[in-house]
Amino acid sequence: MTAAATAFICATCGTQHAPSAAPPATCVICEDPRQWVPAAGQQWTTMEALARRHAVGWREVAPGLLGCGMFPDFGIAQRALLLRTPAGNVLWDCIALLDPATIAIVKALGGIQAIAISHPHYYTAMVDWARAFDCPVLLHAADRQWVMRPDPAIRFWDGEAHPVLPGVTLHRLGGHYAGGTILHWSAGQGAILTGDIASVTPDRRHVSFMWSFPNWVPLPAAEVARMGAVLDALDYDAVYGAWWDRVIPSGGKAAVRASVARYIRAVSGPGPLTG
């Protein structure tokens, strides 16, 4: 009897792969030098196994912005953000678990009009989420090669900016990945949702930029200067990073500007100094 095909999930990064009879030999995402493979070797799980050991928890991050994440932590431990607007909801980034309770909650909140993801480390179970809510997944075309589970729901966009809904626009920031994306939300004083493309640091007063965070590989000063110019052209006050406590609730634009200058001083001299 032929084994049933399963969409296996990498236990290290949370990426769901195309259905297969047996787990893939490797996770291409983790084999890439921006990520890592555990000393014990590649390990796999499934959506069903995750549902037995984990749950999805929700928290209001700000008015109109709900966070959802897995408890206990799994993979990179990022949380996704459900952005609620008068024109509909956008899911920013994604998590590896989608359970019946989450489907019911999201549908009660009006469903999802689009999913947008910052970079390949957070693609996770994006296809299952897209199918459950009958919506597209918006990814930058520069990162097309990192899609491990192709699906018609995935829509690639090119260029430097892509409107999603009124007041919600994706911007290519690059850096960590060529297609590294942030979301600009113009409501109120404005906000940017950055994943770890511009990663909010633990002090919640700065952001930083890396080619590889786990392997401590920085980006060139010129690339961060370019990224800083993109960010400086946007109007925003708050910055929402990839994890629950990585938020700059106000003064975000000034914090980002200072962070870019600090980074450039650190990698090209005379040093980071303070601020």
Side-chain angles (χ1 to χ4, degrees):
M1 180 180 294
T2 303
T6 300
F8 289 97
I9 297 171
C10 173
T12 302
C13 71
T15 300
Q16 189 181 58
H17 287 56
S20 57
T26 61
C27 172
V28 174
I29 302 292
C30 288
E31 292 282 351
D32 177 75
R34 278 164 287 204
Q35 190 38 25
W36 58 285
V37 177
Q42 179 65 52
Q43 299 179 34
W44 299 94
T45 186
T46 64
M47 184 73 73
E48 294 73 22
L50 287 178
R52 291 193 294 268
R53 302 174 188 137
H54 300 264
V56 178
W58 291 81
R59 182 187 301 168
E60 183 180 60
V61 176
L65 198 61
L66 298 176
C68 65
M70 292 176 63
F71 295 93
D73 287 345
F74 172 75
I76 299 173
Q78 77 277 5
R79 56 100 176 88
L81 292 167
L82 186 68
L83 173 61
R84 305 185 67 198
T85 83
N89 301 331
V90 177
L91 182 72
W92 171 249
D93 283 334
C94 199
I95 58 175
L97 178 59
L98 179 62
D99 57 15
T102 298
I103 293 173
I105 289 168
V106 173
K107 287 186 174 179
L109 292 170
I112 296 173
Q113 276 59 56
I115 298 169
I117 302 181
S118 59
H119 71 292
H121 290 162
Y122 301 156
Y123 287 175
T124 62
M126 60 182 177
V127 171
D128 281 354
W129 281 76
R131 291 180 179 181
F133 301 108
D134 191 25
C135 66
V137 180
L138 306 177
L139 306 179
H140 198 279
D143 290 338
R144 182 190 297 264
Q145 72 184 92
W146 301 106
V147 174
M148 297 294 103
R149 187 182 180 188
D151 190 85
I154 298 171
R155 313 281 175 80
F156 294 102
W157 61 277
D158 289 291
E160 301 304 309
H162 181 77
V164 182
L165 294 174
V168 179
T169 305
L170 304 179
H171 294 266
R172 188 192 77 84
L173 199 60
H176 189 29
Y177 277 82
T181 298
I182 63 168
L183 183 151
H184 180 243
W185 181 25
S186 65
Q189 297 185 63
I192 53 173
L193 284 54
T194 64
D196 59 3
I197 302 301
S199 186
V200 177
T201 59
D203 68 7
R204 302 174 307 285
R205 295 188 296 116
H206 299 87
V207 300
S208 196
F209 312 86
M210 294 286 275
W211 185 77
S212 169
F213 283 94
N215 298 317
W216 304 322
V217 182
L219 288 163
E223 174 68 355
V224 172
R226 183 197 62 76
M227 297 168 74
V230 174
L231 292 164
D232 212 46
L234 302 175
D235 292 324
Y236 63 93
D237 190 46
V239 183
Y240 298 95
W243 295 278
W244 290 108
D245 59 347
R246 302 295 183 91
V247 173
I248 303 175
S250 63
K253 187 163 185 175
V256 168
R257 187 178 292 150
S259 298
V260 169
R262 183 175 77 163
Y263 183 100
I264 293 171
R265 290 196 307 266
V267 299
S268 60
L273 303 178
T274 59

